[in-house]
Amino acid sequence: MQFTDLGLSAELLRAIGEQGYTTPTPVQQQAIPHILAGRDLEALAQTGTGKTAAFVLPILQRLTHPLIGQTHNQPDTPLQKITHTAPRVLVLVPTRELAAQVLESVRTYGAHTGLRSLAVFGGVGINPQIQTLRRGIDILVATPGRLLDHLSQRTVDLSKVQTLILDEADRMLDMGFIRDIRRVIERLPKVRQNLMFSATFAPEVRELAHTVLKNPATVEVARRNAPAELVSHSVIKVDKEQKRDLLLHLFAAHGWHQVLVFCRTKHGADALTRKLEQSGVRSAALHGNKSQNARTRALADFKSGKLAALVATDIAARGLDIDSLPRVVNFELPNVPEDYVHRIGRTGRAGASGEALSLVSSDERIQLRDIERLLKLDIASTVLPGFEPQHNHSVPRPSAGRPPAHKPAQARTRSGTGDRSGAPRPPRPARSGTGGAKPASHHSGQRHR
Ligand code: AMP
């Protein structure tokens, strides 16, 4: 299937062509016809699948050509073609970064439509947003908190919204936005089209879908960046106190660049960034306490290759659009195994192979086990000479369930000399099956269970 088969208008096809895209991704193929037909939609699709264009393209089309793509058997209220000043489409997103990225997509694909769009999110001045809203827009992308600010100041009018999109609904719920979302929805017209995109169909997501969507079409796509297929996972076991030195060592030994490093906390991300910078590794932290300008700059510098490392927390990194990142390092494992999947969704995109390396200390063994279960993989683990852990890493395994996949790494006594001069390589991607380092202990194979 080609984009030209979807019944999209000439100005959209032109913008798509300018991006160099010819073939719609699976979520685009499946979702676009339903959205064009005016149906509600529930879509299970992660970042990296092309989900943004899957809703942006048909929404642009319905705003500019309300009748193209309509099917006869679908009852529908076509979007009005009158020029409104109040937005007719509202996209709710969990984070500022995602808001900026969705807006960028709206403007890219809508370049030849003449439609006006705006993103409102916190962390930046509200006045420029108010001025743009006053001039009139067609599509509003918003984080729930800032949108409620605008609603309470009466600087936005949602009474003309004909389509509501909840993007990354699962993450909005994780971030505690459920009440905000409901308060926003109360201000929308009752008759409207609703689209919900989520990476999971967790029970809370289902409940939200149940109350918001009317007779929705359902679309479910496999991850484009299926972690087991495109990403090589590996683990280096190391004591917590040694992690920073080990990471520095890996940067120095391999001349790494463009590495996205994940920490669990903002404080931890700041501390690690300082340490990397002090050691000459150009780095910036990306987390919720940074001003919007600092975050935008960090991301731009990282994308352009000025920074060797971007040290991020889970929420800040959610939905980042960075294509084909060669490597993601989990400096600390996430508490929620699904976050591991989100983290590594930054690498191995668009068919490129990527590497996800986790530095795992003994207190994280349960998280590692949960991640392995979620991925249905045994992840190869190594110990690097000079960084051997002193704490026991063995995981208490339930007697039922999967058999022990490997001999747990032995708690070894650090030799003290540690052959670091030989620049040991990090463990080779498990997929290749051949160890690159001479690990002190390892089990081979990123095996599917
Ligand atoms: P998303 O899942 O919306 O975050 O999109 C992931 C990436 O895929 C973005 O960089 C898009 O620009 C890109 N993309 C979207 N649609 C297509 C397509 N049909 N072909 C190739 N790349 C695409």
Side-chain angles (χ1 to χ4, degrees), residues 354-370:
E355 198 187 321
L357 173 65
S358 304
L359 312 186
V360 180
S361 49
S362 58
D363 56 314
E364 296 174 305
R365 59 195 196 278
I366 304 291
Q367 285 99 314
L368 178 60
R369 185 199 61 195
D370 290 347

Side-chain angles (χ1 to χ4, degrees), residues 244 263 265-278 283 285 287 290 311 331:
R244 286 186 192 176
C263 287
T265 65
K266 298 168 190 173
H267 177 73
D270 279 335
L272 182 60
T273 305
R274 277 197 300 274
K275 174 92 179 175
L276 288 167
E277 280 275 308
Q278 280 162 10
S283 322
H287 58 63
K290 296 273 169 191
V311 185
F331 186 76

Side-chain angles (χ1 to χ4, degrees), residues 102-342:
V102 170
L103 181 72
E104 195 182 314
S105 288
V106 167
R107 292 193 172 161
T108 301
Y109 299 121
H112 311 297
T113 62
L115 292 168
R116 297 153 304 171
S117 50
L118 171 70
V120 299
F121 44 79
V124 295
I126 199 166
N127 286 334
Q129 297 175 355
I130 293 174
Q131 278 156 22
T132 310
L133 284 166
R134 244 186 232 143
R135 282 197 296 273
I137 54 160
D138 302 290
I139 299 165
L140 178 63
V141 184
T143 53
R146 179 54 68 94
L147 183 58
L148 285 173
D149 290 345
H150 280 287
L151 279 169
S152 64
Q153 296 189 29
R154 298 175 190 276
T155 45
V156 69
D157 168 12
L158 297 183
S159 69
K160 302 289 187 295
V161 170
Q162 297 168 349
T163 302
L164 167 72
I165 297 125
L166 301 172
D167 192 16
E168 303 204 353
D170 53 335
R171 182 51 53 136
M172 286 200 278
L173 297 180
D174 284 352
M175 290 170 68
F177 284 141
I178 183 67
R179 293 184 57 180
D180 290 354
I181 294 172
R182 295 210 184 278
R183 283 173 61 197
V184 169
I185 289 177
E186 278 169 18
R187 309 290 284 269
L188 303 178
K190 294 275 172 295
V191 179
R192 53 171 202 269
Q193 183 180 29
N194 302 286
L195 315 174
M196 187 163 118
F197 287 75
S198 179
T200 71
F201 277 162
E204 316 79 74
V205 178
R206 288 231 162 269
E207 196 190 318
L208 181 66
H210 190 69
T211 53
V212 175
L213 307 177
K214 294 203 178 65
N215 182 28
T218 308
V219 161
E220 199 171 321
V221 296
R223 295 184 187 103
R224 178 160 133 201
N225 48 324
E229 287 152 36
L230 292 174
V231 178
S232 304
H233 309 260
S234 53
V235 161
I236 301 182
K237 292 187 170 173
V238 60
D239 284 337
K240 208 182 190 131
E241 313 77 59
Q242 286 278 298
K243 282 189 178 183
R244 286 186 192 176
D245 285 339
L246 173 57
L247 186 64
L248 282 172
H249 166 74
L250 292 170
F251 269 100
H254 306 295
W256 278 353
H257 62 98
Q258 278 203 317
V259 181
L260 184 57
V261 181
F262 280 97
C263 287
R264 260 204 303 257
T265 65
K266 298 168 190 173
H267 177 73
D270 279 335
L272 182 60
T273 305
R274 277 197 300 274
K275 174 92 179 175
L276 288 167
E277 280 275 308
Q278 280 162 10
S279 309
V281 178
R282 296 280 324 265
S283 322
L286 189 77
H287 58 63
N289 284 1
K290 296 273 169 191
S291 72
Q292 187 56 38
N293 285 344
R295 294 203 230 178
T296 308
R297 194 171 53 240
L299 191 58
D301 286 350
F302 184 62
K303 281 187 178 180
S304 72
K306 259 194 221 162
L307 297 177
L310 188 64
V311 185
T313 56
D314 286 288
I315 285 178
R318 173 76 181 180
L320 284 183
D321 182 13
I322 312 170
D323 273 346
S324 310
L325 202 55
R327 185 170 289 103
V328 167
V329 170
N330 296 304
F331 186 76
E332 289 154 334
L333 288 180
N335 284 328
V336 185
E338 282 79 7
D339 277 341
Y340 180 90
V341 177
H342 292 312

Side-chain angles (χ1 to χ4, degrees), residues 3 21 23-25 28 46-53 109 224 321 323 349:
F3 273 110
Y21 305 151
T23 314
T25 64
Q28 292 163 0
Q46 293 208 325
T47 299
T49 54
K51 68 176 172 69
T52 314
Y109 299 121
R224 178 160 133 201
D321 182 13
D323 273 346
R349 288 232 186 143

Side-chain angles (χ1 to χ4, degrees), residues 237 368-369 372-373 376-381 394-409 441-449:
K237 292 187 170 173
L368 178 60
R369 185 199 61 195
E372 289 185 315
R373 281 187 180 161
K376 297 188 173 60
L377 281 177
D378 287 326
I379 301 177
S381 64
S394 60
V395 185
R397 289 177 194 276
S399 48
R402 70 182 171 96
H406 67 287
K407 239 176 102 190
S441 96
H442 86 294
H443 72 89
S444 67
Q446 169 177 298
R447 292 190 307 262
H448 283 270
R449 299 210 199 113

